[in-house]
Amino acid sequence: MRSPMKRVTASLVLALAAVPALHAQSLQTSFEFLQLPTSAHESSLGGHCVSLHDADPALFIDNPANLTAVTTRLVGLDAMTWFAGTTVAGAQYCSSIDERSFYAFNARYVNYGRMARTEADGTETGTFSSKDMAVGATFSYRLSDSWSGGLTGNFICSRYSSMTSVAIGVNMGLLYENTDNGISLGLAATGLGGQVKAFENTFQKLPFDLCAGLTWKPEHAPLRFTLTMDRLTDWDRDDFYFAEDEKAGFGQILKRHFYIGTDILLTDRFYVAGGCSLRNREELAGKGSRGMTGFHLGTGLKVGRVMFDLSYGKFQVSESSLLLNFAFAL
């Protein structure tokens, strides 16, 4: 009989291989708030960094296998500036069971404020509120000295006025780390699952994403480079935004899958980072926004048992966003 480690590894690989078939089952998505970043460090590297193996309590959201980097109990909080009048926040708790087993809980909340309620003829009849919420539990296991795997289950709920939509989501991931060469590789599938209750019984799929990434730290340099590809099942023009007169050849579609970022590790407690989402840069430029669009900057500091991370980036045409993480080791 095969060892438990081999069985778990085989199960994760088979599950990830089956993802394209699941992705093709629906053409519409819901719960898009799940795409918002939760880790400032990840955001400062462009976004969707599934290969960075750091003790950041928010990194396991995109790749559950990253939870194995947490060696002590951590409580994390995050908040993000978004559209005017909205509130975007989250919380995480991470801990270990033993040297190989780890678990975590997380919650995310988006409140869009109060909006005018109107009839079909435009008559205003008051106001209503809209909000999205998600809570999840994660288990991660160190399969060997180099391999880790993880699985997250999420309960997701959206309430717009008197209507409610509910879904069960699953994220899974693998991580390979070679400390001798300073290389880590990540593979993650997020947004598996589906709705159990939908607005007006119109069921849609979750915002699925298949990501792969590489992080490399040269041995004698205070630098760390990260390259990530996301949406690896999306290769059609209609999967992305293109201006009406813009060409959509393979090169333009390929470009929209990449994130690139660099950490400058000034000390083991302080870093600055910069990155770029090539998709954001191309798509937002097509909507009339260029400048520093798509570029992200960030920094992080650890003082005693407290960690702070801050990032700046532009995810929309109208304004930029700040994302702040605070973590405390218990």
Side-chain angles (χ1 to χ4, degrees), residues 110-115 128-132 159-161:
V110 182
N111 189 326
Y112 302 98
R114 302 201 66 83
M115 291 168 271
F128 69 95
S129 63
S130 300
K131 60 191 69 176
D132 294 316
R159 185 168 179 82
Y160 301 160
S161 185

Side-chain angles (χ1 to χ4, degrees), residues 50 103 130 154 176 221:
V50 296
Y103 71 94
S130 300
N154 291 310
Y176 170 79

Side-chain angles (χ1 to χ4, degrees), residues 48-321:
H48 290 291
C49 182
V50 296
S51 56
L52 186 62
H53 200 217
D54 272 1
D56 179 338
L59 281 176
F60 75 90
I61 302 297
D62 277 345
N63 186 351
N66 280 326
L67 184 58
T68 58
V70 176
T71 58
T72 184
R73 289 185 297 163
L74 286 174
V75 173
L77 300 172
D78 63 84
M80 179 180 175
T81 62
W82 192 235
F83 294 104
T86 62
T87 301
V88 182
Q92 308 86 34
Y93 173 78
C94 311
S95 186
S96 62
I97 300 173
D98 53 39
E99 291 183 354
R100 291 188 175 275
S101 305
F102 305 80
Y103 71 94
F105 301 100
N106 78 90
R108 281 181 277 181
Y109 175 76
V110 182
N111 189 326
Y112 302 98
R114 302 201 66 83
M115 291 168 271
R117 187 195 303 273
T118 59
E119 300 295 338
D121 61 0
T123 303
E124 292 191 9
T125 59
T127 61
F128 69 95
S129 63
S130 300
K131 60 191 69 176
D132 294 316
M133 297 163 284
V135 293
T138 299
F139 176 77
S140 185
Y141 188 76
R142 193 179 297 279
L143 303 167
S144 69
D145 291 341
S146 300
W147 286 93
S148 299
L151 184 71
T152 298
N154 291 310
F155 175 83
I156 310 159
C157 179
S158 292
R159 185 168 179 82
Y160 301 160
S161 185
S162 60
M163 300 185 299
T164 302
S165 178
V166 177
I168 302 297
V170 175
N171 302 340
M172 57 178 60
L174 288 169
L175 184 80
Y176 170 79
E177 187 175 31
N178 187 324
T179 55
D180 293 335
N181 295 325
I183 291 176
S184 59
L185 304 171
L187 177 66
T190 60
L192 298 167
Q195 289 179 282
V196 296
K197 182 179 180 181
F199 298 138
E200 299 179 340
N201 288 321
T202 302
F203 287 84
Q204 299 174 315
K205 74 180 184 70
L206 299 181
F208 171 77
D209 201 351
L210 179 63
C211 299
L214 164 68
T215 297
W216 173 55
K217 184 189 180 307
E219 184 176 0
H220 298 296
L223 300 173
R224 184 168 55 188
F225 304 100
T226 297
L227 177 68
T228 305
M229 291 185 70
D230 74 345
R231 296 179 62 176
L232 293 176
T233 56
D234 296 334
W235 295 96
D236 295 328
R237 178 191 177 103
D238 293 341
D239 293 324
F240 304 95
Y241 172 82
F242 286 91
E244 291 185 4
D245 58 347
E246 187 177 1
K247 294 183 179 180
F250 177 77
Q252 288 297 321
I253 293 176
L254 178 65
K255 185 188 301 183
R256 283 164 164 77
H257 289 276
F258 280 97
Y259 302 80
I260 54 176
T262 302
D263 283 307
I264 303 175
L265 308 172
L266 300 176
T267 73
D268 60 352
R269 294 176 175 271
F270 178 59
Y271 73 87
V272 294
C276 182
S277 166
L278 298 186
R279 179 167 68 251
N280 283 353
R281 182 155 181 81
E282 293 297 320
E283 293 186 345
L284 295 183
K287 296 178 181 179
S289 176
R290 183 55 96 172
M292 292 297 292
T293 294
F295 287 97
H296 298 228
L297 298 172
T299 185
L301 175 66
K302 182 177 180 181
V303 181
R305 293 189 292 174
V306 179
M307 292 181 288
F308 299 93
D309 297 271
L310 178 67
S311 69
Y312 168 89
K314 194 167 186 178
F315 301 95
Q316 52 179 304
V317 174
S318 59
E319 57 188 279
S320 301
S321 294

